[in-house]
Amino acid sequence: MALARRLSRLGTETAFAVSAAAAAWGAKGNTIYPFHLGDIDLATPAHITEAMNAAIADGRTGYCPGPGIPQLREAMADDINRLRGTAYTADNVAIQPGGKPVITKFLQAVMDEGDEVLYPNPGFPIYESQIEYLGGVARAYRYLPTERGFAIDLEQVRSLITPRTRAIIYNDLQNPISAESTQEEREAIAQLAQEHDLWVLSDEAYFETRYSGQSHSISSIDGMKDRTVILYTFSKKFAMTGWRLGAGIAPVEVAKVFSTMNTNNESCTTHFVQYAGIAALTGDQQPVADMLDVLRGRRDAACAMINQIPGVDVATPESTFYLFPDVTEAVRRVGATDVDDFATQALHATGVSFCTRNHFGRRQPGEDRDYIRFAYSGIDEHRIREGLGKLKDWIESA
């Protein structure tokens, strides 16, 4: 029996393949230092879990409204407005089973087959996967290295826009490269969206995973609220990756479409989990601050160790829990054939497991530097120092 032809266009998160390789190496008795997956090894704050358990005890285990329970939608709108200076209402909020569904539903809502969508590369691989799976044309835009990290190549973005361009996916506070837009860059993207009548998916998964300063949303720029969909997830801020709770905050017409899609796809987001979401947004925020303190310590330890390794260099980001160091010289130093071979050699020589640039979209023409991604959300400071110390010794001895 033949399967659908469109399946050939469906990608995946290849970071999970790195997890499998690390697990296989660990099963042989080797010590693994897991920098590969952006999961969080910190517990969900207790009051959130307690709210879920209370909701189950109260019988909140049946169907609920497709767009989400009203109390959560109202709490979400209030939280978004407080932090972004916007004026959303509950009607703008469509609760989702995680952040990923927002990507798919956004594309289904605004993109027809053959339409072009701009997306960041390196970037979250599901953007590219879903654009192509749904029959769109994926147009990758790149980042350029700077002293403070990475910046969007705005000239390339301008050059990619055609009459068929329908939308741009914009991930400020970016996975995997931890890039954060300046206000000038954010306004430049907003101006292009308005000049060319483009929809914007603003992936704000890491909006509140930051160590200093204040995050800003493109939705708060004049003229952007009615053409922007915000991707919100509880996964990162509240250590709720496995709970599968998120939201699309969108113009009312799009939020209604999302709600219809919810009814078609999932019926509704898990009822009792939504009460946990209310507790997360409205309850004690000290556990969130405590988690950020832990992550800040991990960031500082990792950056200090990485910048001591020969042939490896990274800037210190103010947000996310990822580092994206340039390892071009280190790849050559150990005699690896390419950056993926470097990763395999590193795993077997040191137990340090990480993703490479190649896990985050197809390489673009002209790329001549090699990068890897370290996620420090699932490994404590002691093991960060221990693992990266072994990586340093291995590269130094090459």
Side-chain angles (χ1 to χ4, degrees):
M1 298 289 288
L3 298 177
R5 289 190 297 274
R6 65 176 173 273
L7 292 173
S8 65
R9 304 194 300 267
L10 187 65
T12 187
E13 277 193 79
T14 50
F16 289 106
V18 181
S19 295
W25 188 244
K28 296 179 180 180
N30 300 292
T31 299
I32 301 299
Y33 301 93
F35 290 93
H36 51 269
L37 198 59
D39 204 350
I40 303 175
D41 66 343
L42 304 173
T44 303
H47 69 282
I48 298 174
T49 303
E50 291 164 4
M52 180 199 70
N53 290 334
I56 293 173
D58 288 344
R60 311 294 188 183
T61 55
Y63 290 123
C64 63
I69 60 175
Q71 305 96 305
L72 179 56
R73 295 171 70 200
E74 290 166 4
M76 274 258 50
D78 289 344
D79 188 73
I80 292 291
N81 293 336
R82 177 177 60 84
L83 294 173
R84 292 162 177 79
T86 47
Y88 291 107
T89 71
D91 290 338
N92 295 109
V93 179
I95 302 300
Q96 304 294 321
K100 278 183 182 175
V102 179
I103 301 171
T104 303
K105 290 170 185 174
F106 169 81
L107 294 169
Q108 289 177 311
V110 308
M111 183 194 78
D112 287 316
E113 289 191 20
D115 285 346
E116 298 173 359
V117 177
L118 309 185
Y119 72 101
N121 182 342
F124 189 48
I126 301 306
Y127 304 146
E128 184 179 276
S129 171
Q130 286 298 295
I131 294 167
E132 295 183 344
Y133 178 68
L134 295 169
V137 179
R139 299 293 191 199
Y141 63 87
R142 62 175 167 252
Y143 288 76
L144 302 174
T146 72
E147 289 185 0
R148 65 177 184 84
F150 295 89
I152 294 172
D153 186 343
L154 292 170
E155 289 305 314
Q156 187 201 29
V157 173
R158 290 187 183 95
S159 73
L160 291 171
I161 297 173
T162 76
R164 293 304 303 266
T165 307
R166 184 67 170 160
I168 180 168
I169 297 175
Y170 174 58
N171 183 199
D172 201 352
L173 314 180
Q174 208 252 29
N175 173 22
I177 65 178
S178 69
E180 179 180 1
S181 286
T182 62
Q183 185 61 21
E184 291 76 17
E185 182 176 273
R186 198 173 293 112
E187 289 176 353
I189 294 295
Q191 182 178 358
L192 287 171
Q194 293 181 60
E195 285 178 0
H196 298 277
D197 195 23
L198 305 180
W199 287 98
V200 175
L201 175 63
S202 184
D203 185 340
E204 300 182 7
Y206 299 92
F207 192 86
E208 292 165 76
T209 305
R210 63 174 309 123
Y211 310 108
S212 64
Q214 175 66 48
S215 295
H216 300 278
S217 174
I218 196 170
S219 65
S220 64
I221 295 174
D222 286 347
M224 292 303 297
K225 181 172 173 284
D226 291 335
R227 66 175 66 250
T228 300
V229 173
I230 295 173
L231 184 159
Y232 183 96
T233 175
F234 288 76
S235 293
K236 315 303 181 183
K237 177 181 178 180
F238 300 108
M240 294 174 67
T241 54
W243 293 65
R244 309 319 302 144
L245 183 62
I249 296 87
V252 172
E253 61 178 324
V254 177
K256 288 180 178 178
V257 171
F258 278 19
S259 298
T260 301
M261 291 176 179
N262 290 0
T263 302
N264 278 265
N265 294 344
E266 305 96 12
S267 293
C268 57
T269 300
T270 305
H271 195 171
F272 50 82
V273 168
Q274 295 189 54
Y275 285 90
I278 296 170
L281 293 172
T282 64
D284 184 9
Q285 298 301 302
Q286 186 58 48
V288 174
D290 293 342
M291 284 193 287
L292 279 174
D293 285 341
V294 171
L295 292 172
R296 182 186 293 106
R298 294 179 182 185
R299 178 203 62 176
D300 293 344
C303 286
M305 293 295 297
I306 289 169
N307 284 319
Q308 295 175 26
I309 300 174
V312 183
D313 178 66
V314 71
T316 301
E318 291 301 331
S319 63
T320 79
F321 37 65
Y322 304 112
L323 302 173
F324 201 68
D326 186 325
V327 295
T328 307
E329 300 308 318
V331 170
R332 294 172 184 165
R333 185 180 181 112
V334 303
T337 56
D338 56 31
V339 72
D340 290 324
D341 180 46
F342 174 76
T344 299
Q345 288 193 38
L347 175 64
H348 294 168
T350 70
V352 175
S353 176
F354 51 81
C355 296
T356 75
R357 183 267 176 268
N358 297 334
H359 292 101
F360 300 99
R362 306 181 190 101
R363 281 187 179 247
Q364 299 191 55
E367 285 192 40
D368 59 0
R369 307 295 295 179
D370 287 320
Y371 294 89
I372 60 176
R373 190 196 74 170
F374 287 118
Y376 52 84
S377 54
I379 180 170
D380 65 34
E381 279 190 52
H382 172 73
R383 284 167 55 76
I384 286 172
R385 292 191 177 93
E386 185 176 274
L388 294 180
K390 291 183 178 182
L391 188 69
K392 177 176 180 286
D393 292 343
W394 171 61
I395 294 174
E396 282 182 336
S397 66

